């Protein structure tokens, strides 16, 4: 994953905003996921590349840019593995 990779929410994922938490429903799998804190800030900033998402997180939270970027790499990899996000360029 590079800074230039663009990420977007999978179009089938349904999102419910509970203010301090986002609930993501994947109707293809019938599974729900919860995203809070910096993860919800990143989700709200989709679509975007890692630099854009990192900027959204650091603007919303008092977190070091390098730490935010590494945490986002982990989060995006997990969300991609669950089919909730996908690479904008490869779909």
């Amino acid at each position: 994953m590079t800074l230039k990779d663009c990420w977007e929410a999978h179009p089938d994922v349904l999102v419910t905003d509970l203010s301090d938490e986002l609930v993501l429903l994947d109707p293809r799998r019938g599974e729900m996921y919860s995203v809070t804190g910096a993860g919800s800030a990143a989700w709200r900033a989709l679509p975007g590349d890692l630099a854009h998402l990192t900027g959204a997180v650091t603007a919303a939270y008092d977190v070091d840019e390098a730490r935010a970027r590494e945490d986002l790499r982990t989060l995006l990899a997990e969300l991609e593995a669950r089919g909730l996000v996908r690479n904008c360029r490869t779909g």
Side-chain angles (χ1 to χ4, degrees):
M1 180 182 309
T2 71
L3 288 174
K4 299 282 185 195
D5 287 338
C6 178
W7 297 95
E8 65 184 359
H10 191 285
D12 291 342
V13 174
L14 304 173
V15 181
T16 300
D17 188 341
L18 302 175
S19 185
D20 60 343
E21 172 185 22
L22 296 177
V23 177
L24 313 177
L25 171 64
D26 182 353
R28 299 163 298 156
R29 296 182 183 184
E31 296 178 349
M32 292 186 357
Y33 304 92
S34 174
V35 181
T36 61
S40 64
W43 184 273
R44 288 181 175 102
L46 292 172
D49 61 19
L50 190 56
H52 170 74
L53 300 178
T54 300
V57 169
T58 57
Y61 293 91
D62 183 25
V63 62
D64 176 71
E65 184 177 327
R67 173 66 187 258
R69 188 172 39 254
E70 288 309 309
D71 288 350
L72 282 167
R73 282 189 165 122
T74 301
L75 175 66
L76 289 168
E78 182 178 332
L79 294 174
E80 182 181 34
R82 295 179 186 274
L84 300 171
V85 298
R86 63 186 186 181
N87 190 296
C88 295
R89 293 181 179 89
T90 61

